[in-house]
Amino acid sequence: MSLQKLIAEKYLDGIRQALDQNPDLANKGMPYDEHNTTKAHPLHRICDGVFNNTYSDEEAVEMASLLLEYGARVDGYKLVENQDTPLLAAASLHADKVGLLYIEKGAVC
């Protein structure tokens, strides 16, 4: 199962297993869905899920923390061209608790 689907299903154990097998996934651009295939950093996509009420801010913090534990970079926009930073994504998508986590981990706009 793809990291995108694991995140969409809030399957923390599956996310951890996928990252155990391939830690690079924590920084690999992923599409929003099958219709919007524009890639963004996984930390950005987590904020998309908060905005769309796919999961709560608290659930998003858990998933983002897991990605950060495996090396997700809070400056992830540098890895996916022409995308906002994860912090800007959190702010613009009203993922406030996630944004605070990103600041604690050193994020800048």
Side-chain angles (χ1 to χ4, degrees), residues 7 10 12 43-66 86-87 89-102:
I7 290 172
K10 305 175 275 190
L12 294 175
L43 295 175
H44 182 138
R45 290 297 179 218
I46 286 174
C47 297
D48 288 328
V50 172
F51 182 76
N52 292 320
N53 296 313
T54 303
Y55 30 81
S56 69
D57 226 350
E58 291 79 11
E59 292 168 325
V61 166
E62 284 187 275
M63 291 186 285
S65 294
L66 189 52
L87 182 56
S92 66
L93 296 167
H94 307 287
D96 300 335
K97 291 181 182 177
V98 178
L100 290 172
L101 172 68
Y102 295 166

Side-chain angles (χ1 to χ4, degrees), residues 21-51:
Q21 292 175 0
N22 185 358
D24 292 340
L25 292 175
N27 288 300
K28 186 175 180 187
M30 58 188 345
Y32 179 74
D33 61 21
E34 61 276 353
H35 304 290
N36 179 354
T37 58
T38 301
K39 292 186 178 179
H41 194 277
L43 295 175
H44 182 138
R45 290 297 179 218
I46 286 174
C47 297
D48 288 328
V50 172
F51 182 76

